[in-house]
Amino acid sequence: MQDSCNYYQILGVSSTATQQEIKKAYRRLVRRYHPDLHPDNPDATDRFKVICEAYQVLSDGVKRRQYDEEFQPQPNQSKTESMTAQDFYVRAVSKALAKNYQGAVEDCNQAISLNPRFVEAYVERGAGCYKLGNARETLQDCNRALRINPQFAPAYYYQGRARYRLGYTQAAIDAYTQAIAYSPNHAKAYYQRGLAHKDLKEFAGAIADLKQAAQLLREQGDKTGYQLVQETLRTLKHTPGKRGVFTKGNPLAYLMGLLGDTFFTIKSFLLNPMGGLLPSFARLDSQRAMVVGLLLAAIFDAFFVWGIYTGWRDLVSVSLVPLIGVGMIPFIILAAMSAIARLIRRHPGSLAGDSFLAGATLTPLSILAIANGISSYMPSQLMVIITVFTACYTVLTLYSGCTQIANLSEKTAALVVPVMVLVSGWISYWAFTAMLGMASF
């Protein structure tokens, strides 16, 4: 019997928790860690298996008493020495749930040392390496797992995720296909394969995979995942280039299509930056994604200029052209730093993605620019509230873009995002004050 506190730790409750507290914790974990809530999250089948196992034991009074009675407290060292490979694996899963990926990898190392043919431990270790940004280690662990069990679908799925991150899109599709062959109800594999088909502009295959993913999620009762896939499917069906309406041969229609893409993007992600940004980007080809990013930046710039002229007209006297240039600086810096981060970390992506990410990040700040223009007519408390909300949405959008579009790992994004915010903010402030200094002469 494994250490009883493992089950309590997995659910995040104390050993004296009531049944109501256990049920509440279980529901919270399901809502928070469902594998289809966030597109960038790896498949969490094993994690949910452990969560369900813990809940089934702790929610049953008889099983819980038996579980607690069989637990014999031991010193930490002897307890570790007595742990089996399965115990280390369960603890690794609980650490991964708490986003302690390094600890999860270390426990998987222990499990594998005790059982070198522990397929699930290899895959769990690979998943941890993926979250830590080491896709090549993920590939190695998946290959080791497949040598032991060539029909283990999760290993093919993670193999696909790692290949995709490394830029091998067709090879990722092949891996997802294998995962689906051995697990026909693997909704996440269908979804990811659909996104990979979209990247290769294989729109028919992308739509077919997304439809299958949606059907499976609906049958499995995953309403959140179903809605996410349906949103991606709807946007993909209207991808320019699939239909002849928005073509360069018709400039007016092409322009209207770009404006439609831009406002659809704003509507999709502005109130849901974590779940709406990737589907908005996925519906666009590279050229249109770059243009939409530029249009979003232009919208911010227009509101920035308007806010300065309207709100600070008695304090600032500058010409229009320099002010427009200052308003474009944050976009240029954010796009450049996104590209640099990708190149340093050797993650796939594109300049179109960097442009889209930078423009989307500035969109919440457009609201702040508008508020700045009418700040003299608003209570100061309201201005503070607007500032806090737009700042939070800006950071969430940037983080979402770094992990989902620039394909940076969560660990890398957590370091890169504040640097991007600070550098772009400082350079913009320096340019603005320099412009004011030149205008005063």
Side-chain angles (χ1 to χ4, degrees):
M1 169 67 81
Q2 67 230 24
D3 184 343
S4 67
C5 69
N6 280 338
Y7 282 157
Y8 294 109
Q9 289 177 345
I10 289 169
L11 296 183
V13 297
S14 68
S15 58
T16 59
T18 64
Q19 288 297 315
Q20 187 64 27
E21 290 172 336
I22 290 172
K23 182 181 294 186
K24 184 178 179 180
Y26 170 72
R27 290 176 176 173
R28 184 182 67 250
L29 284 174
V30 169
R31 290 193 301 268
R32 183 177 179 184
Y33 293 108
H34 196 282
D36 298 301
L37 283 177
H38 306 292
D40 194 50
N41 283 349
D43 182 77
T45 302
D46 293 330
R47 292 180 175 85
F48 272 91
K49 187 183 298 183
V50 175
I51 290 173
C52 292
E53 178 184 338
Y55 178 68
Q56 288 172 358
V57 171
L58 298 185
S59 62
D60 185 292
V62 176
K63 292 181 180 179
R64 183 178 179 181
R65 282 194 298 272
Q66 293 175 343
Y67 183 78
D68 291 338
E69 289 172 359
E70 292 179 19
F71 168 61
Q72 298 295 329
Q74 299 176 4
N76 290 337
Q77 182 177 357
S78 61
K79 182 164 58 178
T80 302
E81 292 175 351
S82 66
M83 290 176 66
T84 66
Q86 181 66 27
D87 294 332
F88 278 113
Y89 172 72
V90 170
R91 195 169 74 175
V93 171
S94 67
K95 287 182 177 180
L97 283 172
K99 296 193 175 183
N100 178 10
Y101 302 118
Q102 186 59 50
V105 169
E106 292 171 359
D107 277 342
C108 285
N109 289 338
Q110 295 284 354
I112 292 168
S113 67
L114 292 172
N115 181 4
R117 297 185 62 80
F118 199 154
V119 176
E120 291 84 356
Y122 281 113
V123 176
E124 184 65 31
R125 186 172 69 177
C129 290
Y130 180 88
K131 301 301 291 186
L132 292 171
N134 196 338
R136 297 190 184 279
E137 287 292 338
T138 303
L139 280 180
Q140 292 179 11
D141 274 334
C142 288
N143 291 336
R144 294 183 183 108
L146 292 172
R147 282 196 292 268
I148 299 171
N149 183 359
Q151 300 181 358
F152 194 57
Y156 286 112
Y157 174 75
Y158 286 115
Q159 186 184 66
R161 296 303 301 273
R163 287 177 176 178
Y164 184 81
R165 172 167 285 183
L166 293 171
Y168 309 129
T169 306
Q170 184 57 58
I173 290 175
D174 295 340
Y176 294 138
T177 301
Q178 288 288 81
I180 292 167
Y182 294 115
S183 180
N185 294 326
H186 203 314
K188 191 66 174 179
Y190 277 108
Y191 178 71
Q192 293 296 336
R193 190 173 71 173
L195 294 181
H197 277 306
K198 179 266 171 189
D199 282 356
L200 296 179
K201 302 189 186 307
E202 299 169 352
F203 296 113
I207 291 174
D209 278 341
L210 291 173
K211 284 183 176 180
Q212 184 63 28
Q215 179 181 340
L216 290 171
L217 290 168
R218 182 175 56 187
E219 293 172 353
Q220 295 164 8
D222 182 1
K223 294 182 179 179
T224 304
Y226 173 77
Q227 292 172 356
L228 173 63
V229 177
Q230 283 291 84
E231 178 63 23
T232 306
L233 186 59
R234 282 194 297 271
T235 58
L236 185 58
K237 284 182 177 179
H238 294 88
T239 299
K242 290 177 70 273
R243 301 162 64 182
V245 177
F246 304 121
T247 64
K248 294 183 180 179
N250 188 342
L252 181 59
Y254 184 72
L255 177 60
M256 294 301 295
L258 287 173
L259 292 176
D261 290 336
T262 302
F263 287 106
F264 181 90
T265 297
I266 294 173
K267 182 183 70 173
S268 298
F269 82 85
L270 190 57
L271 295 180
N272 183 18
M274 299 302 293
L277 193 61
L278 182 60
S280 300
F281 177 72
R283 73 187 295 266
L284 305 170
D285 59 30
S286 296
Q287 184 182 37
R288 296 180 78 92
M290 177 172 288
V291 175
V292 167
L294 289 168
L295 287 175
L296 291 173
I299 291 172
F300 164 77
D301 200 5
F303 284 126
F304 169 76
V305 172
W306 177 84
I308 294 297
Y309 271 119
T310 305
W312 295 13
R313 58 182 176 273
D314 297 330
L315 302 175
V316 177
S317 178
V318 295
S319 60
L320 182 61
V321 174
L323 196 56
I324 292 175
V326 170
M328 289 300 295
I329 288 177
F331 171 80
I332 296 171
I333 298 300
L334 289 173
M337 293 190 69
S338 172
I340 292 171
R342 287 192 299 101
L343 293 175
I344 292 175
R345 300 298 299 174
R346 297 182 180 179
H347 289 317
S350 64
L351 293 178
D354 300 326
S355 172
F356 185 88
L357 184 158
T361 300
L362 294 176
T363 301
L365 294 179
S366 299
I367 300 173
L368 183 61
I370 295 173
N372 180 65
I374 58 175
S375 58
S376 58
Y377 304 101
M378 295 191 305
S380 58
Q381 296 87 345
L382 180 58
M383 191 65 189
V384 171
I385 292 173
I386 293 174
T387 301
V388 171
F389 268 84
T390 53
C392 291
Y393 270 94
T394 298
V395 172
L396 285 173
T397 302
L398 182 56
Y399 179 82
S400 176
C402 284
T403 55
Q404 298 178 15
I405 296 176
N407 290 309
L408 301 179
S409 67
E410 290 185 350
K411 180 179 179 181
T412 301
L415 296 174
V416 169
V417 167
V419 174
M420 294 174 72
V421 171
L422 289 172
V423 172
S424 61
W426 181 83
I427 294 178
S428 299
Y429 174 77
W430 175 85
F432 185 73
T433 54
M435 178 190 64
L436 293 180
M438 294 176 61
S440 63
F441 285 105

